[in-house]
Amino acid sequence: MELAIENASFTFDKDKATLSIEGALRLSGVQKYKEEGFFDFLKDAVKNCETTLNLDLTKLQYLNSSGVTAFSRFILEIKKEAMNPIKVTGSSEISWQKKTLPNFPKLWNQIILDFQ
Amino acid sequence: MVKESQKNKDALHEASLILQAPYKNTKKKILVAVNLSLVIITSLHLAIQLISFGHLPEPARDMIMIPLTIGIHAFSAYHHSRLLAGKTNQPRWVSQVSTWASLITLQLFALATVHVNINTATSLIVDSAFSIILVFITGTVINRNAATVWLVISLISFFIAYGNRGSSFEYHLMTQQEVKEYKQNLKSPNRKVRQAARKRQEIVKKEKIEPLSIKLYLSVCLIFLLLAFLPTFFQASMIGQVLKTIPRAIEKIELAADEKNLLKKENVRMSMELDIAKHIQKMVLPREEEFMAFKGLEIGARMDTATEVGGDFYEVLPQKDGSIYFGIGDVTDHGLQSGVVMLMTQAAFRATLDNSDIDITSALNQINSILHQNISRMKDQRNLTLSLLHYHNGTVSMTGQHETVILLRSKEDFAEQIDTMDLGLYVGLIDDFSDHVQESSFDLETGDIMLLYTDGATEALNSADREFGIQGLMQALERHRHHPSQQIVNNIIDEIYEYTGKTDPEDDITIVVVRRTA
């Protein structure tokens, strides 16, 4: 399954239980992310995985503040809906990831964070 | 706004009148020219007849039809000239009737030329030429349908004329009787007669005036007629079509102008909203003169808002006990709502901290709770990064997650960063984040400089899409450390603009510089 939002491509590989996002996301407002199918795509990926989904962000070069909120809301929603927790893989070389990803386990302590 | 659109409308109306003038006038000018030509030609005809014969040879034509024609055309010319000059208010039908009457008399002339004129040769020539002229005039002055009808009538007339003359008619430059005798003479048993006829035949051949079959003559005329008709038809209709499209084009221009006005209104509304947002965001910022009153600290601060405000926040709040609260934050997203969230943050910040003995972590928890409830009520998803700092007797305690705090010790050459990642979480996102809020502290010695900033400063991009960066910011601080705090802030922001090559920020830029002086 694939999804393209703005300058980013979302690829879900069910066999590897990996959803990787590449590129840059700068949509204005969380509502825009919702309209582009961001939440549906991510939640469907979690539902379709028998094991823990690996959200691979190592190639997501830029994410704006609305995008950070969108990811945060996604984590809060899967927590609320008692879905499988996910693993987030990030890159310590990308500045927004260092500033942002450590917050995800604070939103739900079941989230596993892995920096490469 | 209303006045301007009225002015636009008047100007457009005037423009439409100017553009429509040639459309309305061209038809009239063509008609007047035709009318006057016919009046002159028919008058000359009568005069020549009178001079040549001393009387009018064909009473039906010369005493009824021609005077009637002169009358109709003279009136039409007069009426349309006055219309062109704008000197008459007579009803439209007068113009229509005189137009149709003018053309119908012309068409009757063309028909009469074929069917009444005794000279077959001239009648054919005149008819084919006249028909073409009339197709053009009819098409231009009335419309292409009228031109088509006239083409059909003149074709029928052509064939009737042909039928009347009979297919055996030949076009000679002599009477048919002469032709007949001449042909008999060619076969005459009388040798003398036959020789005379043959001699004539040789002369005819020599002078290239051989008899022409009427069928061939008609065919040629017909081809010419059709060839001439097609361009004339399309030319006439083209003029008509072009003229007709002008009012439609004007309609479109008016529509475009209306749309432009709407767009202008929308732009005015949008820029008003942006102005309001900017105003909201800047109206509650601490004033420069407030900084002067602080003992022991020299403070400089500046916020440059982007065209679409980015929701930056900073606060400097002195307390009765001589301590000072600082706040720095950045609301997610842009626009009016971000400005409103910033305003609420300022209110919650002051309400919670000002002259109360609350500790900063509890204060941050309260601010989070207040903002979460209000933002939920706004049905908005915005939240913010926010750090609270409390300076008291040379120690800064801080809580809340925002950008790093930059510290330039007076004894050091290079600035250092103090991380805030572990001190909190996004404010307003969840109702209770107290589990993730922590406090840390550092000493601020005399001469030390503390710099607070938002990401608008570090993420400012140059033309090669490279960020000014945290290193850029730290180095700028090191370069300007010997200036007063406010000068440091201004110099750093100037450097950022020099780096981006722009005079306005893409995102809000906030920098607060605090130096301990005593």
Side-chain angles (χ1 to χ4, degrees), chain B residues 45-46 48-50 53-63:
Chain B
H45 174 82
L46 286 186
I48 290 164
Q49 298 272 3
L50 278 172
F53 302 105
H55 66 98
L56 297 168
E58 276 184 61
R61 182 190 71 186
D62 298 337
M63 292 174 80

Side-chain angles (χ1 to χ4, degrees), chain B residues 174-187:
Chain B
M174 52 182 119
T175 65
Q176 274 184 289
Q177 186 56 40
E178 281 169 340
V179 173
K180 198 177 167 187
E181 278 170 14
Y182 168 64
K183 282 189 172 177
Q184 278 171 355
N185 290 347
L186 278 172
K187 295 168 193 167

Side-chain angles (χ1 to χ4, degrees), chain B residues 332-399:
Chain B
T332 61
D333 215 337
H334 293 262
L336 183 60
Q337 282 95 327
S338 295
V340 169
V341 172
M342 179 274 186
L343 192 66
M344 295 189 308
T345 307
Q346 194 277 339
F349 188 96
R350 184 181 275 267
T352 315
L353 286 162
D354 205 11
N355 295 316
S356 71
D357 49 9
I358 193 169
D359 63 283
I360 52 173
T361 51
S362 305
L364 188 64
N365 284 323
Q366 277 193 23
I367 293 169
N368 173 63
S369 174
I370 293 168
L371 286 176
H372 176 71
Q373 288 170 47
N374 260 14
I375 294 169
S376 303
R377 197 183 263 181
M378 282 166 71
K379 297 211 181 310
D380 201 89
Q381 308 276 8
R382 284 172 171 77
N383 51 76
L384 66 148
T385 56
L386 175 65
S387 284
L388 299 186
L389 299 94
H390 189 204
Y391 171 81
H392 193 51
N393 294 332
T395 302
V396 178
S397 50
M398 59 190 241
T399 185

Side-chain angles (χ1 to χ4, degrees), chain B residues 255-270:
Chain B
L255 269 177
D258 283 351
E259 271 171 26
K260 203 182 150 197
N261 274 341
L262 270 178
L263 209 67
K264 212 169 161 187
K265 266 188 195 170
E266 178 65 11
N267 279 343
V268 167
R269 194 189 66 77
M270 292 275 286

Side-chain angles (χ1 to χ4, degrees), chain B residues 75-125:
Chain B
F75 174 77
S76 173
Y78 170 74
H79 180 69
H80 286 100
S81 302
R82 281 178 64 84
L83 275 179
L84 278 171
K87 282 182 185 166
T88 179
N89 289 320
Q90 294 212 27
R92 244 176 84 84
W93 65 264
V94 179
S95 166
Q96 282 174 330
V97 166
S98 58
T99 305
W100 279 92
S102 299
L103 290 180
I104 287 170
T105 50
L106 279 173
Q107 287 161 351
L108 283 175
F109 260 104
L111 291 176
T113 313
V114 183
H115 298 285
V116 181
N117 200 311
I118 39 165
N119 190 329
T120 307
T122 30
S123 76
L124 286 173
I125 293 164

